[in-house]
Amino acid sequence: KLIFVDIRTHKKIDFMISASYENSEISKMTYNESKSAIVGQQIRKIPLFYTPTSIYAHNSQPILFVGEEEGYIEVFKVITSGSSKLAWSSQRVNQVQFHNDHVTQISYLSDNDVYISSSLDGTFVLWRYNSSDHQVQKAYKIQIRDNVQLRSFVYDMRTRDVVFTTASHYFGIWRTFTTHQELIETRSEVMQTLAIIPYS
C-alpha cells in the first residue's frame, strides 16, 4: 500500500495510481517551496522536483547529470559508503535551465571538452562543467528550424556533426558550434535510433 503525503500540510493525499496516470496532473512545488516545507521534518535529502527524462555520468568523477521534464539539468555528486557494502547517497550541487521542455539526451563530446543536451523544444545546448566549483556554463545554443522535437542523437567526431532523430518523419544534421543544419525527410516511420559506422 502506498501512502502519499502533501508536504505543505503534512496530511495524507487520497488519489489512485494506474499505469496510464499522467504525472502532469500531480501538483509540483518549486525548489524554495519544497525546501521550506520540509524544514524541521525528518527528511535528510531534498528530492528531485521534476520528472527525470535523461541521465548521463561524468567520464571520470562521481557526478551525474540529470535532465528533467521542465528543461532543467541537475548536477548530483554521488557519495559512496567507502565500505564493501553497496550503499551510496547523492547531493545536488547545481541546477540550471537550458531548455523549455523535456531534456531527451545528454552526452559528452571529448574532442571539444563539452557536454551536449537536446530537448523536445527543438534546441541543442553545448555546455561545460567545472568540477572545482560545480558550475555549468553554456557554450553554444541553437534552435533547429521548423521547431522539430529532438529525440536522440549521435556525434561524428570525424566531421564534428551531430546527427539527430526527430518526432516527425525527419532526421537531421547539425555542425557543432555553427548555424549549419539540414533536415532530411524520410518515407519511413519515425526513426528511433541512429549509429555512425565509419568505412575505414
Side-chain angles (χ1 to χ4, degrees), residues 45 64 76-79 88-92:
K45 297 183 222 39
L64 294 176
F76 287 90
K77 182 177 181 181
V78 179
I79 304 163
W88 62 277
S89 62
S90 63
Q91 174 189 5
R92 180 193 290 108

Side-chain angles (χ1 to χ4, degrees), residues 80-128:
T80 58
S81 63
S83 65
S84 59
K85 295 180 180 178
L86 185 62
W88 62 277
S89 62
S90 63
Q91 174 189 5
R92 180 193 290 108
V93 293
N94 202 348
Q95 180 186 41
V96 293
Q97 185 175 21
F98 286 146
H99 305 279
N100 297 317
D101 205 338
H102 289 62
V103 177
T104 53
Q105 187 177 338
I106 301 171
S107 190
Y108 177 65
L109 311 184
S110 58
D111 58 338
N112 281 309
D113 191 29
V114 294
Y115 292 87
I116 180 173
S117 56
S118 61
S119 172
L120 291 182
D121 67 3
T123 60
F124 280 110
V125 177
L126 299 172
W127 44 275
R128 291 186 170 88

Side-chain angles (χ1 to χ4, degrees), residues 11-26:
K11 294 181 181 177
K12 180 181 171 184
I13 302 173
D14 294 319
F15 66 85
M16 300 294 293
I17 292 182
S18 67
S20 62
Y21 193 86
E22 291 289 337
N23 59 35
S24 61
E25 296 177 22
I26 303 174

